[in-house]
Amino acid sequence: MEFLDQTIFYLGDEAVRSAQLLWAAFFVVAGVVVALWGSTYVGRHLLWKGTNGPEAARLIVSAVRWKAFGVGLLAAAAALGLNVLPVVWIILGLGAILALALRETYGQITSGVLLLWERPFALGERITVGDYEGEVEGLGLRATYLRSEDRLQTIVPNSYVATHTITNWSRTEGGLRVRVPVDVAPGADSGAVIAALRKAAERNNRVRKSPSPKAFLLGFGSRGMRYELMVWVSNYTE
């Protein structure tokens, strides 16, 4: 094992031995492997279909890659006997300053990454989140873009989306139930109205046959007698 104690070269006044050089090479290779594997793993989860933030997600993937490679280089430098503590403290200090200065933006980005990772919805799906509802047009790192029924775009901060209950109307099993209120003038025969509502629903090709459509008389409404037609459809867009 004398080879491991041989001096290869000098860094200033410090001799660099074979064992140190081997450890340094190991840390560099490990950093490269972790950088490639980590960026690939993260990329598979963040760069999913249905987002409008692939460029931003690629920045995160690049950050993971370079961070892993940088840690490998620092470990290699430490193995060679270099004092890397000042560099580490500088990096930690800059990170803390940026986190404090951009804490609101950082919170939005963190929420965006969680949404990208968990995938509670995708492009084209219709969701309700808190007070907002619409079709998902895109998901970036800072905001989620919804298109409402009147074709208005709503930009919802990701921190809001991440902290409120999300209802995904496009992911249903066995169909989605829809309630349709109907006002009828007083005096109409309730049996005839209920039969007419059910017949109209059964003629609609978008209404599922099972469960079968149902109609009810609820009582008096502001415009007369209030009925409700209950039907099941395959998805929200129907």
Side-chain angles (χ1 to χ4, degrees), residues 14-26:
E14 297 291 333
V16 177
R17 294 178 172 80
S18 300
Q20 292 175 284
L21 190 61
L22 289 175
W23 275 112
F26 169 78

Side-chain angles (χ1 to χ4, degrees), residues 120 127-132 160-168:
I127 66 170
T128 298
V129 51
D131 298 328
Y132 304 98
Y160 183 92
V161 179
T163 55
H164 286 75
T165 301
I166 301 173
T167 301
N168 192 327

Side-chain angles (χ1 to χ4, degrees), residues 117-193:
W117 194 273
E118 295 178 355
R119 311 186 185 191
F121 47 78
L123 185 69
E125 294 183 339
R126 190 168 194 87
I127 66 170
T128 298
V129 51
D131 298 328
Y132 304 98
E133 180 177 339
E135 180 182 315
V136 179
E137 283 198 330
L139 171 61
L141 288 179
R142 295 187 58 189
T144 299
Y145 301 84
L146 302 179
R147 182 71 65 178
S148 63
E149 289 286 354
D150 53 7
R151 308 312 300 164
L152 295 177
Q153 186 183 69
T154 303
I155 302 175
V156 186
N158 282 334
S159 58
Y160 183 92
V161 179
T163 55
H164 286 75
T165 301
I166 301 173
T167 301
N168 192 327
W169 299 100
S170 299
R171 299 182 184 180
T172 60
E173 294 184 1
L176 178 68
R177 185 178 62 185
V178 179
R179 297 177 180 270
V180 183
V182 180
D183 290 322
V184 180
D189 181 79
S190 60
V193 172

Side-chain angles (χ1 to χ4, degrees), residues 16-217:
V16 177
R17 294 178 172 80
S18 300
Q20 292 175 284
L21 190 61
L22 289 175
W23 275 112
F26 169 78
F27 286 128
V28 170
V29 173
V32 172
V33 172
V34 173
L36 294 177
W37 175 83
S39 60
T40 301
Y41 181 79
V42 172
R44 287 176 179 174
H45 285 76
L46 295 185
L47 301 177
W48 51 280
K49 183 179 180 181
T51 71
N52 68 337
E55 293 79 9
R58 288 191 181 94
L59 290 177
I60 295 179
V61 173
S62 298
V64 171
R65 182 184 298 119
W66 286 107
K67 183 178 291 186
F69 184 64
V71 170
L73 287 180
L74 286 175
L80 293 175
L82 298 176
N83 184 13
V84 298
L85 282 179
V87 178
V88 173
W89 284 114
I90 290 174
I91 294 175
L92 292 177
L94 291 175
I97 292 173
L98 287 175
L100 290 174
L102 303 173
R103 57 184 178 274
E104 185 174 348
T105 301
Y106 180 77
Q108 302 287 4
I109 293 176
T110 301
S111 299
V113 171
L114 291 175
L115 292 173
L116 285 168
W117 194 273
E118 295 178 355
R119 311 186 185 191
F121 47 78
L123 185 69
E125 294 183 339
R126 190 168 194 87
I127 66 170
T128 298
V129 51
D131 298 328
Y132 304 98
E133 180 177 339
E135 180 182 315
V136 179
E137 283 198 330
L139 171 61
L141 288 179
R142 295 187 58 189
T144 299
Y145 301 84
L146 302 179
R147 182 71 65 178
S148 63
E149 289 286 354
D150 53 7
R151 308 312 300 164
L152 295 177
Q153 186 183 69
T154 303
I155 302 175
V156 186
N158 282 334
S159 58
Y160 183 92
V161 179
T163 55
H164 286 75
T165 301
I166 301 173
T167 301
N168 192 327
W169 299 100
S170 299
R171 299 182 184 180
T172 60
E173 294 184 1
L176 178 68
R177 185 178 62 185
V178 179
R179 297 177 180 270
V180 183
V182 180
D183 290 322
V184 180
D189 181 79
S190 60
V193 172
I194 291 175
L197 290 175
R198 293 186 59 182
K199 186 175 182 180
E202 291 169 354
R203 287 182 174 180
N204 193 318
N205 295 329
R206 294 175 295 180
V207 173
R208 295 171 64 96
K209 303 301 181 183
S210 178
S212 60
K214 295 178 174 58
F216 308 93
L217 172 61

